[in-house]
Amino acid sequence: MKLGCCYYPEHWPEDIWAEDARRMAEMGLRLVRIGEFAWSRIEPEPGRYDWDWLDRAIETLHAAGLHIILGTPTATPPKWLVDRMPDMVAIDEHGRPRGFGSRRHYCFSHEGYRTECARIVTALAERYGQHPAIVMWQTDNEYGCHDTVLSFSDAAASAFRGWCAARYGSPQALNEAWGNVFWSMEYRSFAEIDPPHLTVTEANPAHWLDYRRFASDQVARFNREQVAIIRARAPGVDITHNFMGFFTEFDHHDVGRDIDVATWDSYPLGFLEQFWFSAQEKAAYLRQGHPDIAAFHHDLYRGCSNGRWGVMEQQPGPVNWARFNPAPLPGMVALWTLEAAAHGAELTSYFRWRQAPFAQEQMHAGLLRPDSTEAEAADEVRHAAKVLAQIGPQAAARAPVALVFSYEAAWVLGIQPQGASMRYLELVFEWYSALRRQGLDVDIVSPQADLSGYRMVCVPSLPIVPEGFAERLAALECPVLLGPRSGSKTASFTIPEGLAPGALRTAIPLTVTRVESLRDGVAEPADGFAVTRWREDVATALAPELADAAGRGVVFRHGKIRYCTIWPDRALLALLVERMAGEAGVERTELPRGIRLRRTQSHVFTFNYSAQGVFVPHLGATLPPASWHLAPL
Amino acid sequence: MKLGCCYYPEHWPEDIWAEDARRMAEMGLRLVRIGEFAWSRIEPEPGRYDWDWLDRAIETLHAAGLHIILGTPTATPPKWLVDRMPDMVAIDEHGRPRGFGSRRHYCFSHEGYRTECARIVTALAERYGQHPAIVMWQTDNEYGCHDTVLSFSDAAASAFRGWCAARYGSPQALNEAWGNVFWSMEYRSFAEIDPPHLTVTEANPAHWLDYRRFASDQVARFNREQVAIIRARAPGVDITHNFMGFFTEFDHHDVGRDIDVATWDSYPLGFLEQFWFSAQEKAAYLRQGHPDIAAFHHDLYRGCSNGRWGVMEQQPGPVNWARFNPAPLPGMVALWTLEAAAHGAELTSYFRWRQAPFAQEQMHAGLLRPDSTEAEAADEVRHAAKVLAQIGPQAAARAPVALVFSYEAAWVLGIQPQGASMRYLELVFEWYSALRRQGLDVDIVSPQADLSGYRMVCVPSLPIVPEGFAERLAALECPVLLGPRSGSKTASFTIPEGLAPGALRTAIPLTVTRVESLRDGVAEPADGFAVTRWREDVATALAPELADAAGRGVVFRHGKIRYCTIWPDRALLALLVERMAGEAGVERTELPRGIRLRRTQSHVFTFNYSAQGVFVPHLGATLPPASWHLAPL
Amino acid sequence: MKLGCCYYPEHWPEDIWAEDARRMAEMGLRLVRIGEFAWSRIEPEPGRYDWDWLDRAIETLHAAGLHIILGTPTATPPKWLVDRMPDMVAIDEHGRPRGFGSRRHYCFSHEGYRTECARIVTALAERYGQHPAIVMWQTDNEYGCHDTVLSFSDAAASAFRGWCAARYGSPQALNEAWGNVFWSMEYRSFAEIDPPHLTVTEANPAHWLDYRRFASDQVARFNREQVAIIRARAPGVDITHNFMGFFTEFDHHDVGRDIDVATWDSYPLGFLEQFWFSAQEKAAYLRQGHPDIAAFHHDLYRGCSNGRWGVMEQQPGPVNWARFNPAPLPGMVALWTLEAAAHGAELTSYFRWRQAPFAQEQMHAGLLRPDSTEAEAADEVRHAAKVLAQIGPQAAARAPVALVFSYEAAWVLGIQPQGASMRYLELVFEWYSALRRQGLDVDIVSPQADLSGYRMVCVPSLPIVPEGFAERLAALECPVLLGPRSGSKTASFTIPEGLAPGALRTAIPLTVTRVESLRDGVAEPADGFAVTRWREDVATALAPELADAAGRGVVFRHGKIRYCTIWPDRALLALLVERMAGEAGVERTELPRGIRLRRTQSHVFTFNYSAQGVFVPHLGATLPPASWHLAPL
Ligand SMILES: [Zn+2]
Ligand SMILES: [Zn+2]
Ligand SMILES: [Zn+2]
């Protein structure tokens, strides 16, 4: 795994570039990402390009032995461009334009802006497509950041109408698919259709789902246009995009198919603070991050682009954007780096080389402080670089467990939670964490993935079952666990004929006759676990494998396939993982709190995410806080 | 009491209508509400009516022995109509149009839309006014649902100016009434007046109160127009509107006067979840609903249309619209049905016959599942139908207790709570619940109601005292209890000359010299109860009947009339109910937690709303959870 | 100290004015503020002035021996004026106009409105500038109330562009200062610059800071225009403006320089309820207000206008605008009055004479009730007047402690809290309270103030260090305590070269190498105190004076100057105050909970803010609740 950093030569006086480059190389870095926010310097006035500084920056870095990841600057159109086409900005759900003054102030559907993007990307690719220093291209930056996937502009509305026409052919077919007879919502032409916002009460969930699909398609199309331009001018050079964490607004599997390497931006402390973790977890892992946050995304994005992936932005210290921004425990930056290697990353790039003393991210740490002294992370990077050199390249092995992740499922449960605590990402994360707490390696895969060869398959929830998925499941010989709401919707966001689990009934013979959501704090007892948040009644000839205290079935099993009718708590998940692993003959390792395992093709990594030293039985030793143990397999 | 259901023939293939009708009749249903959202099917294009399908649906249902409640479809204008007059939609308090894509996307003040409504209602009434199957008409659907009473459109602003001119005659009179000299808010013409939204800080409360009165009048006028059209074409056929729960945005007493039967939509589990009940109550009554939610509304709406009332929509299982949506405990659907009968309902109609597999309410249970199998409630309906047949028609008796409810009071306390926990609906509900916990039947009546003949009269709060009310109170010979803030405002939302209780001083000689609100958590001790939320100082020659620990009077009594200066907690309410009942010679029954009593002219009903069996002293027996006991009087 | 009240003759029938005036004088009042909301009565139609009523009101009051504080009515432009220039209203951060119907519906940047203000103020000053009854003028009313400092109107945007041009000279200089190269935010002309709202994510903090400076300057300019008009026509008459509590939206030191007397509006119970105090404090001081709320502002505003200050509005009973509005404990109105005297106020004026029975503030108590009977406060006012007469004029002495307060600091920490609990006002208040709990008198001063002569200097946080400040600090011979984030920003909201504390490094040789914020609930142990909310790592040769349990330095000391790296909790503040006072030889008095001390040049005041009697060691006696003890020095 190569190490790198994110660097903004345009932010610094040219006379320190060479020294910066020298220090990067000395620190063990080999890659530098540049360029992705520099539009106003590349094209300071309409049509006038200034390549000189960028040429020199690239040369200077290359001369120090570094290779470049070059970003397209389309996330930050300059003011002159916005002023030329003011309707290029997105419109938010309240109808307000999302103006200039930060970044991502564009609507993916605006044709004029897409033309401008093609122009600047073409210019960039023509100039640097064959440059020997450039080893990777990055399209745009963090698609969707700051809630920018959805836009409700005229451009978006118009594009959505076309999208609907292409999908349904006739308004009658759309009305039928969405069930628009309900509340007289029928359309007589596609021109009558608006985005689903600002309705008096909730819009039709089918309307919302198609709007989300459309918006995701617009992101993928936007990206694909840049990829095509770059490919034509930089043949053979890898293309990436840097995805975000806990983010499901567009289908990353779609975008992932068009690029060569899926990268993501890993901020374990910020993510812990901003998401659903309990106050206890937020306190326990304050300076380490929850032990499964980074790993979850590593395994998720490894499943997006044919197994090639990396970390484009790695948190090196306190960030600026969470409600609270603590500093990592000493050792964590190195530990996070090695966790990436343990999952098979091709690169880990720190964000950023030097903390900027100005503008929005001035409180975001870097490897250097604003005064160019080394920040705490610098020595950890050096150390990680050495360890990585010692152990050599690490390649991910096929994991014993496949966990099926669906962006569409996230949209469906988001559009219609039916209970306020029904969060798809949290549900999947809890399943993932349950597996990892027992020492199991996991591949997170799309519903289209080939599942053969896995020894356990987990499907936390898959409301819309893709064509052929049920048949593929039924053909598996390994234990399969299906979670609640699987098969509960058709592709048109309706309840399937014959009720849930719809197509999955070929895999397990039961029918969901009623669902209910339970308010936070309600826990109905069962044998060693509790029923919380969600439960389903089923009609089936199967005897329940597990039931609650009142005898209502909670887990049903049909051959290798199980269906769980509730939001499983940690105790139930632990029990199910244990049973499935036992049936599959997969070896488990019960890990102490805060300890995690991960194997590559050649090594086994043990990590201690605790703030305390922990005795690790499988090592027969105590690992200090924020430390790891490495062994060849 | 007849049973019925809500049915949408337009949602289902015509070839199952006859079988649906047969099954309804078999289940014990005799009424079917249809039509209220079907505008796009009745008039698929401007001016082209399609009656055929509706003719056949009515015939098919009628042929099975069912009678029809026919709804006007004005809650769901089709897209073509909205596109013809885009300014017909309401404008929300933030200035945003409330667009097409769900329902109720209209402004009550838009003349063009009112003309369209008159047209479609006329067409419907001309076709079906004399149809023998139609036994009742429903106007529109749930006026005000999704916060749709208030609109801030140009149409509304213009209508409000006319309303003000009619009420005040001159801008000078309005300025004087509102006290517009304060902050130089004086108007020189009615044309200068805007709706009271988007002001820098709160608008004049008198401005708000008149805007609420105006908006309520617009709803009543809108309804009255439909009633007049239907009456002229369906003479002698009952007209209803289906009101909602815990909803005070318009004066239901006003609308009630124009219709024949007040119906309402009863969702006990959803209401428990969405309103102010404590976390403990929400857990204890999770699958039953608080024992007084349905009863409260039964008694409230019985007081709206000359005593004729019913339940137009009865929750039959989990709903889709609350934050959490649990399933009713087995037995609750039948229990809720019998509670309606015990309050003298003419009908209980379940919402809905079959769960729709599409669109916004696809997660709302019906009597049938989407696959036409029977849902849990079906057998409970059958059982309830049998019990109702056995006991015969039940008529409400005049209750011993009158509880005075004022929509205007809800507006006044909402506009000017003066303490964040001052909620009129909760206050009235607590008084109601205190009476019912002691086994007392209650009539909830308007301030205009004839109070003679009652044996106890409770007025939880009546800030604006209608003409003659104080005199009527003073003439009563039964115990009367007045709550805080009664008589504290004039009709123009000013403090009365001579201070509160204003006109009520003829009933009890005291003067409120100061009021204060207490933050949540503050409880100042008194003898067996506590002072919370609200307290008033009074000047009076009366000795307090009850005082707090510091000797400040809490309850004052003058003959039969008491005034309570605080937000009474449950202990104080229990004490006051006990005293008043004792003085009135009204027999009380102290009921265990979760047990409720209700008497008709012929029977006494005992209900167990607990999730556990409860020993009921007055029965000498234990009632299982979600069960009832019935006995002739 | 003179007592007064706020009076609105236009609200009352003219035939009671004389009696009101007589009663005011009898109660001990000598000042009456009038006129500040009366525009619609002074100029009922465009250009037609009606002075008669105001002439008579002034004469009537004067005839009773009262003197007048006359307000300009520019906070309440009448409807006819708004209709003539509808774009004079402010635009809120969401882009919505802030309409007519309450008050302060104007944008400080609207030239047309400023012209109108100049016209009405000129007319008023010409008529009454030489009137012997007028002893003080008040400009406008509570600048900024209801979040009105910031406006995002076209007028504001245009004025901001001019402000930027004046400050920076060229767009290039502005780009450089703000760091606009970040995210391609560079401007090519000042015309391209918009206000920093409605950006996709946070705007550049430098953009925000300049927008706040600009908005503050607009307030000061608006005020200065009125001051100039009045001065020219009322030479020698004092001019004031009534500031608010816990309010930092504009720089009060700037406005204070242009007026003669800084007054403020003191509502201790409302402020306790509305601000950050803990639930326990809100309960303990429910009817008294926190013992430092009024004192803090007295000392703050005494530092704004050359030491001349007063209370223009004093809470006399329950108010109407807090979430909860309790009544003061008997005695508190007099106690608050004496606390003002103890800090050297020239006047305390009660808001208001008589409670209005109409409009927005009808639930706000006065000295009289709406029926003209005396409210609870009336006798307390009489009592306070007598005590004040007995002790004679009280002048503030120079306090031993200077506490440096910076409005700019409040903006910086508000724009970039970096941790959600980082609140500048709370931080300063805690430092102030720590001093006062040990019986120390405090001067709250601007960073420009002369600090020589103080015996202790506290700087809770001063991110941007004014020119010369560090040198002045270093020259002091008394103990100085600097708080976290001091010196952490340049004037352009960037991190200083050489890192924090920037210019302050001349005062204490250390460098802040990293900062972090800790989530609420996290408390890292130290010796008798805890680290919460905020902590900094420093590089320094100094040994820490205090460290946490892990040995990380918390307080560093260099000669007389200390730097505290954390948000100090109360235990640490108590320790530091004790040490510094010891070093300075300043006598402390450890006060029991709820007891406070304050000295004038002639007297020492002891106040009991508790709801219980408290034994006061330095008096050797128990003070009853809400009482005070007075002694000559
Ligand atoms: Zn190379
Ligand atoms: Zn019939
Ligand atoms: Zn005089």
Side-chain angles (χ1 to χ4, degrees), chain B residues 93-95 176-188 191-195 197-207 416 418-421 485 488-489 492-499 511-520 522 524 533-535 537 552, chain C residues 10-11 37-41 44-46 76-80 83 92 96-106 145-146 148 273 278-279 282-283 286-287 317-328 352 355-363 369-371 373 376:
Chain B
E93 204 166 336
H94 304 283
E176 176 69 22
W178 290 7
N180 279 339
V181 62
F182 195 84
W183 291 354
S184 284
M185 297 181 296
E186 292 166 302
Y187 300 108
R188 299 185 306 146
E192 287 183 341
I193 303 175
D194 288 319
H197 70 315
L198 289 178
T199 52
V200 172
T201 181
E202 53 175 335
N204 192 329
H207 192 169
Q416 187 185 79
Q418 180 64 7
S421 58
R485 303 187 71 165
S488 63
K489 300 293 170 190
S492 300
F493 213 124
T494 67
I495 295 173
E497 279 187 53
L499 309 182
T511 298
V512 176
T513 55
R514 189 171 65 174
V515 305
E516 55 176 338
S517 53
L518 302 179
R519 69 193 324 268
D520 293 341
V522 170
E524 300 188 326
R533 303 199 197 197
W534 185 266
R535 68 182 308 158
D537 289 322
R552 288 168 71 181
Chain C
E10 69 273 25
H11 293 180
F37 298 128
W39 195 331
S40 75
R41 288 295 168 98
E45 292 176 52
T76 51
K79 186 59 156 63
W80 58 255
D83 285 347
D92 75 13
R96 299 173 307 188
R98 307 190 69 183
F100 184 86
S102 61
R103 60 176 177 176
R104 305 210 55 73
H105 38 279
Y106 70 83
C145 192
H146 321 304
T148 50
E273 176 58 41
S278 70
K282 290 188 182 189
L286 183 74
R287 291 189 163 90
V319 299
N320 64 305
W321 47 263
R323 266 174 63 79
F324 299 97
N325 297 293
R352 52 194 276 167
Q355 182 176 350
F358 46 72
Q360 279 91 334
E361 293 180 349
Q362 58 184 266
M363 302 301 280
R369 301 192 185 103
D371 67 346
T373 57
E376 289 71 7

Side-chain angles (χ1 to χ4, degrees), chain C residues 158-331:
Chain C
S158 170
F160 180 54
R161 289 173 195 129
W163 186 96
C164 288
R167 183 177 179 94
Y168 292 104
S170 74
Q172 291 71 30
L174 178 145
N175 286 334
E176 176 69 20
W178 290 7
N180 279 339
V181 61
F182 196 83
W183 291 354
S184 284
M185 296 180 297
E186 292 167 300
Y187 299 107
R188 298 184 307 147
S189 77
F190 289 109
E192 287 183 340
I193 303 176
D194 289 318
H197 71 314
L198 290 177
T199 53
V200 172
T201 183
E202 52 174 337
N204 191 330
H207 192 171
W208 266 115
L209 179 61
D210 271 349
Y211 205 71
R212 287 204 162 278
R213 285 173 173 145
F214 153 75
S216 179
D217 285 355
Q218 295 296 89
V219 174
R221 187 182 66 153
F222 185 92
N223 182 70
R224 206 175 296 126
E225 289 171 353
Q226 297 201 8
V227 168
I229 291 165
I230 297 165
R231 282 224 192 286
R233 288 156 186 85
V237 185
D238 284 331
I239 302 177
T240 190
H241 175 75
N242 57 329
F243 296 131
M244 296 193 294
F246 291 136
F247 188 76
T248 59
E249 299 286 301
F250 63 89
D251 190 323
H252 294 49
H253 291 127
D254 269 6
V255 173
R257 267 187 289 275
D258 294 324
I259 56 179
D260 302 296
V261 184
T263 56
W264 79 287
D265 298 345
S266 178
Y267 295 95
L269 304 193
F271 294 149
L272 177 72
E273 176 58 41
Q274 294 302 88
F275 288 90
W276 59 76
F277 301 92
S278 70
Q280 295 96 305
E281 285 174 313
K282 290 188 182 189
Y285 295 115
L286 183 74
R287 291 189 163 90
Q288 311 99 268
H290 186 287
D292 300 316
I293 287 178
F296 173 80
H297 291 94
H298 296 338
D299 291 339
L300 172 65
Y301 293 123
R302 194 178 58 245
C304 278
S305 294
N306 272 317
R308 296 192 59 196
W309 74 283
V311 175
M312 188 58 83
E313 301 183 6
Q314 170 61 56
Q315 174 170 12
V319 299
N320 64 305
W321 47 263
R323 266 174 63 79
F324 299 97
N325 297 293
L329 215 59

Side-chain angles (χ1 to χ4, degrees), chain A residues 461-465 483-490 496 499-504 563:
Chain A
S461 185
L462 190 64
I464 298 175
V465 179
R485 303 187 69 166
S486 293
S488 63
K489 299 292 169 191
T490 67
L499 309 182
L504 292 171
Y563 184 91

Side-chain angles (χ1 to χ4, degrees), chain A residues 4 28 61 90 311 316 545 552 562:
Chain A
L61 294 162
V311 176
E545 178 183 4
R552 288 168 71 182
R562 285 177 170 85

Side-chain angles (χ1 to χ4, degrees), chain B residues 237-418:
Chain B
V237 183
D238 284 332
I239 303 177
T240 190
H241 175 76
N242 57 328
F243 296 131
M244 296 192 295
F246 291 135
F247 189 76
T248 59
E249 298 285 300
F250 64 88
D251 191 324
H252 294 50
H253 290 127
D254 270 5
V255 173
R257 265 188 291 277
D258 294 324
I259 56 178
D260 303 296
V261 183
T263 57
W264 79 287
D265 298 345
S266 178
Y267 294 95
L269 304 193
F271 294 149
L272 176 73
E273 177 59 42
Q274 294 301 86
F275 288 90
W276 59 77
F277 301 92
S278 69
Q280 297 95 310
E281 285 174 313
K282 289 188 181 187
Y285 295 115
L286 183 74
R287 291 188 163 92
Q288 311 100 270
H290 185 286
D292 299 318
I293 287 177
F296 173 81
H297 291 95
H298 295 340
D299 291 339
L300 172 66
Y301 292 123
R302 194 175 61 243
C304 277
S305 293
N306 272 315
R308 296 190 59 194
W309 74 282
V311 175
M312 188 58 82
E313 301 183 5
Q314 171 62 56
Q315 175 170 9
V319 298
N320 63 304
W321 46 264
R323 265 174 66 78
F324 298 98
N325 297 291
L329 216 59
M332 284 311 301
V333 175
L335 188 156
W336 291 329
T337 304
L338 291 170
E339 181 81 80
H343 291 257
E346 298 189 8
L347 70 140
T348 288
S349 163
Y350 302 93
F351 185 88
R352 49 192 280 166
W353 171 246
R354 183 191 291 104
Q355 183 176 350
F358 47 72
Q360 279 91 337
E361 293 180 348
Q362 59 185 267
M363 301 301 280
H364 192 300
L367 297 181
L368 303 189
R369 301 191 184 103
D371 66 345
S372 294
T373 58
E374 287 191 0
E376 289 72 5
D379 264 344
E380 296 197 30
V381 171
R382 263 188 208 98
H383 181 47
K386 269 176 218 151
V387 173
L388 290 167
Q390 286 161 6
I391 60 173
Q394 299 292 316
R398 167 167 278 237
V401 186
L403 184 72
V404 175
F405 188 94
S406 160
Y407 287 91
E408 193 176 59
W411 303 336
V412 168
L413 267 63
I415 290 167
Q416 187 185 79
Q418 180 64 7

